[in-house]
Amino acid sequence: MEHVPPPAEELARLDRELAELDARRAQLLTRRAWLLAALRPTVPTAAPGWNPSGWGAPPGTPAQPWGQVPKRPSAPRGAQNVLLTLGGLLLTVAAIAFTLVSWGSMGIGGRSAVLAVVTLGALAAPAVLLRRGLAATAEALAALALVLTLLDVYAVHAVAAPDTDGLGFTALASAVLAALWTAYGLALGKLRLPLPAAVVLAQWPLLFWAWAVGAPAPVVGWALLATAVLDGAIALWGKGAGVRVTACVGGAVMGFSALMVGLALSLTAPGPLGAVAPGVLLLTASAAAVAGAWRAPKGFARTGGAVAGLAAVAAVGGVPAAALPAGWRVLAYLLCGLALTAVVRSRLPGHAARGVLAASGAVVAGALVWALPPLAAVLLGPVTVLSDVWAGTPDGFRSALGSTLPWSELAAAPVVLALVAGLLGAAYRWWPSVVRLAAPLAGPTTADAGPPAAPAAGAPGTDAPGAAGGAAPWPGWSGWTGRPGAGAGGRGRPSAATLRGVVGAGAVALGWGALLLAGALLDVPHALALAGETALVGVLLALAVRGGGAERGATAMPVTALVASVAGAVSAGLLSLASEGASYAVFGALAALFAGAALRAGAGVPRAVFAVAAVVWGTVITGLAGRSLGLAPHEAAPLMLLVPALTVLLGARLRRNPVALPVELTGALGALVAVGLAVSDAPFLALVLALCGVLAAGTAVRPERRPVAGYLAATLFVLATWVRLAASEVSFPEAYTLPVTVPALLVGAARRRRDPEASSWTAYGPGLAATLLPSLAVAWTDPDWLRPLLLGTAALVITLLGARHRLQALLLLGGTVLALVGLHELAPYVVQVAGALPRWLPPALAGLLLLVVGATYEQRLRDARRLKDALGRMR
């Protein structure tokens, strides 16, 4: 039976072990610091008696704190490299100048001697320098030798063979130089420049040869592909990181160029037979990419698999695409892209197979992007109906869209959407089988990796002999169990339920789009299009309601159905505005469908969205009723308040239900629309404002809405009064406002007597605003002096009373009105003085003010805070 120590004893043992580890780490860091100092050429000699082979530090060596790595001073090689680089550049410039300028002044013997001596000397010098340990100098001279060989080639062509074809000579010269520098780099293996330079030179022989002989485009493509294959081989088996990186870059450029040549030839082929030759080129490129991906590291394997998949799709799909009409070619490529998913059953390495699957996804995504413009035209095209509402039923669906798209060339768009939607739907339906097929390509997750090995009995951190049975000994052990909600998807990876939800969402969205596009391409009658879109909205609402209780992680499909239902409802509603009867039928059906969905849905965001949409469609119906009755916009405004009134009643019925607030806010937006419609006619605007005030007052009856709705009702009533007075051209509004202000102030005083803590805005604000603000509006347009004088005197008295009794409403209202009256009276004199001042003075004064404020910013900020605190303490 094993002994289990008590917690206190085990904790003490852990502390001792940690202290020993800290001491050992400090000793190792100190030793490392001494070794670094010993390797520096300028370090002083260690103290006498110091043994370098022993542990510890020499006398006087400061100890390094825990985890701190001593900084190593920069070596003097940086300056050496700068000098060598500058020297090499100057020699290169001199060689170029000599070749281009002084070459013609020498005889044939002199030229040959200079070429032979300088080039051979530059090639031989690095070998001597490497033996002496001067690697940096050898690299600099090797770079100079590389430039000299290029200049030699140019000089030979310019003098010895001026009549030869430039492209052909360049192809031969690049091949010779590539071989020369390959041999040179292998002979002097310590030099890093020659072999990458040979790889760069090897990019051009085949390409320049093809251009030199005037080869057709397929031959150029094969030359590029052969060069890319050579680069791939060098990248896999080349010597040194520089050689491999250079080969990777060259292979990527040449391979991409070859693929573009093959793709261009395939797309422009006159028929299936003409697409065979570029198809063979693309298939060869695909095979080469697969061969490279089979042996390449992780990232390159995925890239190679993706390139192989795309090339195979272009090769195989290009042959049938050349025989199909323009509108159906995308379907051939899509089918080939979908066929790539068979890679899950192949023996291709995992990373390469994932790249092939990525290529399949890219092809499918490209096909869907191709189908987006007609789908957008179907959804957004009905907006054009707004310019001529109820102009008459159009002949067909397509004529109601007002789109100029070439529909005959987009015939395959609904087929593409339906095909992908069907496959996604099948994957959603048989999800376990899909997961089982894709399991070999899935990376290891915490769900299938199993829990970590349990610590041995008695090991630090265990309270029991073993972890078998009993509670989990590791923190976060539940994340390894693979249970839903316990990290089954692995860190940073979506769970299986989330992936399945995304697949189902894609099926829903694409299937809906396919049906809409099919109706547009078939140009179904207008009534059938309306009925079809409305029915689709009903189906989407059913999916959204049914999926409202989906498990966590599988909400993508109901959310997509919800968004699509709202978008489809908007499109169908706009499309129905072509005729009067269709408008009532569609918007009535939409209101009923969304109201029913709100009743059937569970609590949460979807239910609120359904209810809000139902309110919106009902508001639209009231607007349509006003148009049917032949009412002007301002005359139809009171009719628009029917739905807001219903939302007030519904809110009172729902009380604290989460749906109540969104419904009431939507009704308030409908009331705002009514106010906007009535702006053109002042009497109707006053009526609408008063009715809105009644609705707000009815909402304020409820305690939870009173703080906002009460102030809103008072404001609306005051605005309605002002508008009514302005519409009646009343020149003395005080005759109407003072009889309201006096009793309102008396009621406010009585409220303050009963409740001294009541806000002055609640007690006196409405009464004062009822007279001060209309009088201020009239005073600004009154040329006489009596009204501004009386209003300013009243505002001054109110301001003083507010300051005396510390009442915020009186102080702010009175002060604001007093300031505005004073500004109105001083405005003519300010304008006169401003006209007499020089033009430069106002900007100068403004700049001076900014400087003063900036210099005393902190003091001004403190003053503003004190003023804010003082106002906050007022009632």
Side-chain angles (χ1 to χ4, degrees), residues 138-160:
E139 290 286 353
L141 287 179
L144 175 62
L146 175 62
V147 176
L148 286 174
T149 55
L150 296 177
L151 293 176
D152 291 342
V153 171
Y154 166 76
V156 169
H157 180 264
V159 176

Side-chain angles (χ1 to χ4, degrees), residues 380-581:
L380 303 178
V383 176
T384 57
V385 181
L386 291 174
S387 61
D388 197 4
V389 177
W390 294 353
T393 304
D395 297 332
F397 190 10
R398 219 184 282 171
S399 59
L401 301 177
S403 176
T404 57
L405 288 175
W407 293 101
S408 59
E409 299 180 5
L410 301 171
V415 180
V416 168
L417 295 179
L419 179 59
V420 180
L423 292 176
L424 292 178
Y428 180 83
R429 173 63 179 83
W430 291 285
W431 183 252
S433 300
V434 173
V435 173
R436 187 168 56 255
L437 289 173
L441 296 182
T445 62
T446 56
D448 53 26
T462 59
D463 294 334
W474 292 84
W477 178 273
S478 60
W480 295 80
T481 59
R483 295 191 303 269
R491 290 186 179 181
R493 294 185 180 181
S495 64
T498 301
L499 291 176
R500 187 182 185 187
V502 171
V503 170
V508 170
L510 295 178
W512 170 62
L515 292 174
L516 291 180
L517 267 180
L521 286 166
L522 295 176
D523 199 15
V524 298
H526 184 258
L528 182 58
L530 286 177
E533 287 204 35
T534 308
L536 283 177
V537 171
V539 173
L540 292 171
L541 287 175
L543 287 174
V545 171
R546 183 180 179 184
E551 61 179 350
R552 184 179 181 182
T555 58
M557 188 171 69
V559 169
T560 303
L562 173 61
V563 174
S565 64
V566 174
V570 173
S571 179
L574 292 175
L575 194 64
S576 69
L577 294 178
S579 63
E580 183 176 2

Side-chain angles (χ1 to χ4, degrees), residues 269-278 319 322:
L273 293 178
V276 171
V319 176

Side-chain angles (χ1 to χ4, degrees), residues 245-440:
V245 171
T246 306
C248 285
V249 174
V253 174
M254 293 298 176
F256 178 78
S257 303
L259 290 175
M260 289 299 101
V261 171
L263 182 61
L265 293 174
S266 178
L267 293 176
T268 57
L273 293 178
V276 171
V280 173
L281 173 63
L282 292 171
L283 277 180
T284 306
S286 177
V290 168
W294 203 287
R295 300 172 178 82
K298 174 182 176 181
F300 292 100
R302 289 185 179 179
T303 304
V307 171
L310 292 175
V313 169
V316 179
V319 176
L324 294 174
W328 291 93
R329 293 182 177 179
V330 66
L331 191 59
Y333 293 106
L334 176 61
L335 292 175
C336 293
L338 293 174
L340 290 179
T341 55
V343 73
V344 298
R345 309 303 297 172
S346 68
R347 296 183 179 180
L348 200 64
H351 295 298
R354 293 190 192 103
V356 175
L357 288 180
S360 176
V363 173
V364 174
L368 295 179
V369 169
W370 173 82
L372 282 182
L375 181 59
V378 172
L379 290 176
L380 303 178
V383 176
T384 57
V385 181
L386 291 174
S387 61
D388 197 4
V389 177
W390 294 353
T393 304
D395 297 332
F397 190 10
R398 219 184 282 171
S399 59
L401 301 177
S403 176
T404 57
L405 288 175
W407 293 101
S408 59
E409 299 180 5
L410 301 171
V415 180
V416 168
L417 295 179
L419 179 59
V420 180
L423 292 176
L424 292 178
Y428 180 83
R429 173 63 179 83
W430 291 285
W431 183 252
S433 300
V434 173
V435 173
R436 187 168 56 255
L437 289 173

